[in-house]
Amino acid sequence: MARKKIALVGAGMIGGTLAHLAAKKELGDIVLFDIAEGIPQGKALDLSQCGPVEGFDARITGTNDYADIAGADVVIVTAGIPRKPGMSRDDLLGINLSVMKAVGEGIKTHAPDAFVICITNPLDAMVWALREFSGLPHNKVVGMAGVLDSARFATFLAWEFGVSVKDVNAFVLGGHGDTMVPVTSYTTVSGIPVDDLVKMGKSSKASIDAIVQRTRSGGGEIVGLLKTGSAYYAPATSAIAMAEAYLGDQKRILPCAVYVDGKYGLDGLYVGVPAVIGANGVEEVVEIALDAEAKVNLQTSVDAVKELLVACKGIDNSL
Ligand code: TXD
């Protein structure tokens, strides 16, 4: 059976990391696309030379021509600009919306049957715009944010409780912004709810609240430290988990930015909720029962996403 084809649109910090992870896991042949001449070609050549050492068989190529993504099974989009200190994710909207228009056209023309994972910020607006520009079915276009935000939440909780990250199952819903919703009532350590662990004296409400806030500002914390850009190892790792769920028909329930129309009382927008990811892309939007506080927080997050969509429509009247 021919190897799958993974197209990475954007060959920057996350794109290069995606390529390395996909190659090490032998997910398929890899095409790195970018508008910067030389970058995708240079990274592809460098990554190819990992093969003899790592022992992976994957053809890794770099290109500046969208035609080379033809027939991709998965397309992961990181094209655009990242944050610098002092910038919010929303500040990226104007530039990255125009990038999504070009990327959407490229995918529409050359890879209309792909499962598309958008990473570019502001994520909840960019994934919606990419779906509009590409014209692909809603179940084949998703945004990566919740897996990353949940991983950040899980990391901080594992440190707090002094347990293995393997045993922490964390849930973060809502938009990929300051209004994201870490849901402690659905977050467990080996099945034990975090709220019960607090009652058992393993932590305190104040510490958990501080972890929730650190999770919300997790991206900004790294931007402030790096100064030259934003996080890329965990974002790439998170997107690869989503790609594997699709390629392997894993039926994983993952927090992803998916198109929600009807469930959660939402009327047709992309926001982070639990979704079943399998061979048909988004196979189900899982509607979990939320307590009053989580419902209010999710609505606040949805309202923030809706404001971004209004801004997008104000910039590009084709939307
Ligand atoms: O959880 C999440 N979704 C976020 C997303 C986590 C971290 C980073 N987040 C966002 O991903 C970030 O705010 C950026 O919008 C993207 C990509 O971040 P990255 O760190 O990879 O940015 P780089 O290193 O600047 O790479 C972007 C590449 C760069 O090589 C540009 O030349 C290229 O995008 N680029 C384009 N490629 C194709 N087409 C166009 N028009 C284009 N414009 C820039």
Side-chain angles (χ1 to χ4, degrees), residues 115 138-142 258 275-278 280-285:
F115 180 58
H138 287 94
N139 63 300
K140 298 294 284 297
V141 182
V142 297
V258 295
V276 176
I277 306 294
N280 293 316
V282 178
E283 299 186 352
E284 180 190 350
V285 173

Side-chain angles (χ1 to χ4, degrees), residues 107-131:
I107 293 170
K108 185 178 194 173
T109 306
H110 299 287
D113 299 323
F115 180 58
V116 178
I117 302 170
C118 182
I119 296 182
T120 302
N121 267 329
L123 187 270
D124 306 278
M126 293 302 99
V127 62
W128 171 82
L130 184 61
R131 204 299 315 171

